[in-house]
Amino acid sequence: MLSRIAESLFWIGRHVERADGVARILDVHLERITQLPAAEQEAEVRRIMAVMGVAPEHGDYGVDSLIHELAWNRDSPTSISGSLHAARENARRARETVSSAMWEALNSTHYGLGGHRRDVVGTFRVCHWAIERMATVRGQIQMTMSHDESWLFLGLGAALERADMTSRLLWTRSTTATEGMSWVSILHCAGAYEAFLRTRYGTFSDESATQFLLLDRLFPRSILHALTTAEEILVQMEPGLQRVGFKDDARRIVGEARTALEFHHAEDLMAVLPGHLNNVQAACARASEAVGAKYFSHAVEDSWFGGIL
């Protein structure tokens, strides 16, 4: 597979997952922020933007800026619109590899975004619409593409982004005052509320909700499940075993992050939660760079197009 195709597929997976994750985070926090007194809204908007790694263009930390930066700013890779645009552009570059059904689902979603209102009510609806549309795109990827190397790159990008998005979701709660965001809302945001209740048999606490989203081995949006999935895909991409060490830096980085979580004492998890969340986000960024350095060789592409080969 050409490295430019592999790179496009990897970033399709990341951007589709990011559009879904940002829509979930914006939906639950926008509802809460708009119900706060005006004097408290700026501090909350500033906090959410810091967690998501964005800043307003003109220094305005109002609700309108939050909506623009996380939903509608097409130039930002963090916004729903920017992620959808980037996913579609990468799919266009890899058009000969992705299935027609997947392309049509992504393309119609991209153009459908323009039909929505950009006020508060319209953005609420866009968040729910984007979550449904991303589920459709992911379904087309699963059911209309062969589970070969192309699918592995798509899945690897999605798994790394999912771990990063869940860590940011937990950050938005861990940096909130106790009277702010509830864990019920966080679980609903992650689509985990019913799965959590069935697993815990109705026993509910901050610690149990955190453990579920961080450490549950079976829930697909937990950080541990996402890291495990990324590690399994990396093994499939290079199954060779060494007696000592790893040649694959991405696998080493993801494996270290997974084991740091999996073997930590769950009882004192809340006390060290910020450190774990920072480590997960850093590991996802470093693993993404390592995958790029290993598989996305632009020098080879240049030599091919330059007629050297």
Side-chain angles (χ1 to χ4, degrees), residues 52-207:
M52 299 304 293
V54 297
E57 294 177 358
H58 306 293
D60 175 21
Y61 284 91
V63 172
D64 289 343
S65 290
L66 179 71
I67 290 172
H68 174 70
E69 294 298 337
L70 293 188
W72 300 107
N73 187 357
R74 182 168 158 168
D75 296 328
S76 170
T78 304
S79 73
I80 298 171
S81 176
S83 296
L84 279 176
H85 177 68
R88 179 183 176 276
E89 283 302 299
N90 279 286
R92 187 176 61 78
R93 294 190 188 103
R95 186 65 186 87
E96 68 271 30
T97 303
V98 301
S99 68
S100 295
M102 179 271 196
W103 163 255
E104 288 168 5
L106 193 55
N107 198 40
S108 61
T109 303
H110 175 263
Y111 283 108
L113 190 65
H116 290 267
R117 290 163 46 187
R118 301 195 174 196
D119 56 10
V120 174
V121 175
T123 304
F124 274 127
R125 291 173 180 166
V126 159
C127 290
H128 291 272
W129 174 82
I131 292 169
E132 291 177 359
R133 292 302 304 172
M134 291 305 99
T136 300
V137 172
R138 285 191 294 240
Q140 296 292 4
I141 290 172
Q142 293 297 321
M143 300 307 295
T144 65
M145 291 183 65
S146 297
H147 289 198
D148 54 11
E149 191 178 17
S150 304
W151 182 81
L152 292 178
F153 277 108
L154 280 163
L156 180 59
L160 290 176
E161 188 69 28
R162 189 172 302 165
D164 183 89
M165 277 290 124
T166 302
S167 74
R168 292 179 192 274
L169 174 63
L170 286 169
W171 250 121
T172 65
R173 173 60 181 83
S174 63
T175 57
T176 307
T178 52
E179 66 271 16
M181 194 75 182
S182 73
W183 279 107
V184 173
S185 298
I186 290 291
L187 288 167
H188 274 298
C189 178
Y193 184 66
E194 293 174 345
F196 170 80
L197 291 182
R198 281 194 290 271
T199 302
R200 301 287 175 164
Y201 304 107
T203 304
F204 194 94
S205 66
D206 284 3
E207 289 78 9

